[in-house]
C-alpha cells in the first residue's frame, strides 16, 4: 500500500500524554472525513495502546513512547504505538481477555478493546526490549450531498 501522509510523535510515558495521543490521532484521522463513531473508535484504540505502554512497559520509570500514524491507500489509517520498555514474554497470553499484570485496578481488556475497534491488530514484543502494537482501520467514504 502507498503512504499518502504520515506523522510520527515521540513523547514520555507520562499519563497526561495519553489524552494528547488521543487528540493527535483524532486530528490526523480527520482528513479521512470519518464519522464521529469512527473517530471515537480510533481514539479508544490509541488510548488503550498508549495506556498499556504507560502502565505495563514502564511500571517504575518514565520511558519513551512513539505514535506513528499513516494514511494508506483505500482510506486506511495505520496506527503504530511502540515502546522500549520491559516487553512481554508471552504475547498470546497477554492478549487473552481479562489477563493483566497491572493489578486489581486493571481490567485486562486493552487488547480486546483495540481489536474490536480496528480492522487488524498485530502485537510484537521482546522481553527487555519493548512492544510494538500495529492497528489498521479503514474509513469508508460517506456520500456527499450538494
Amino acid at each position: 500500500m502507498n503512504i499518502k501522509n504520515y506523522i510520527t510523535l515521540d513523547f514520555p510515558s507520562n499519563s497526561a500524554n495519553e489524552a494528547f495521543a488521543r487528540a493527535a490521532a483524532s486530528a490526523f484521522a480527520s482528513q479521512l472525513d470519518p464519522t464521529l463513531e469512527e473517530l471515537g473508535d480510533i481514539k479508544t484504540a490509541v488510548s488503550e495502546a498508549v495506556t498499556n505502554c504507560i502502565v505495563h512497559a514502564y511500571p517504575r520509570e518514565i520511558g519513551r513512547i512513539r505514535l506513528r500514524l499513516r494514511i494508506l491507500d483505500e482510506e486506511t489509517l495505520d496506527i503504530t504505538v511502540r515502546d522500549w520498555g520491559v516487553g512481554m514474554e508471552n504475547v498470546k497470553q497477554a492478549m487473552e481477555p481479562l489477563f493483566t499484570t497491572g493489578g486489581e485496578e486493571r481490567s485486562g481488556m486493552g487488547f480486546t478493546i483495540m481489536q474490536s475497534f480496528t480492522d487488524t491488530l498485530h502485537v510484537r514484543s521482546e522481553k527487555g526490549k519493548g512492544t510494538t502494537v500495529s492497528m489498521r482501520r479503514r474509513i469508508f467514504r460517506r456520500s456527499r450531498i450538494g
Side-chain angles (χ1 to χ4, degrees), residues 1 8 12 20 29 45 48 50 54 67 72 77 87 97-98 106 113-114 120-121 130 136 144:
M1 287 193 149
T8 303
F20 171 75
E48 291 294 333
V50 170
I54 293 166
L67 172 64
L72 306 176
L77 179 66
L98 305 179
R106 309 307 306 174
I113 291 168
M114 285 180 245
T120 64
L121 170 68
R136 285 192 178 171
R144 310 239 187 253

Side-chain angles (χ1 to χ4, degrees), residues 24-34 39 42 71 77 141-142:
S26 177
F28 185 77
S30 67
Q31 65 191 289
L32 291 171
D33 196 25
L39 270 182
I42 291 162
I71 303 290
L77 179 66
R141 287 254 181 229
R142 293 178 280 151

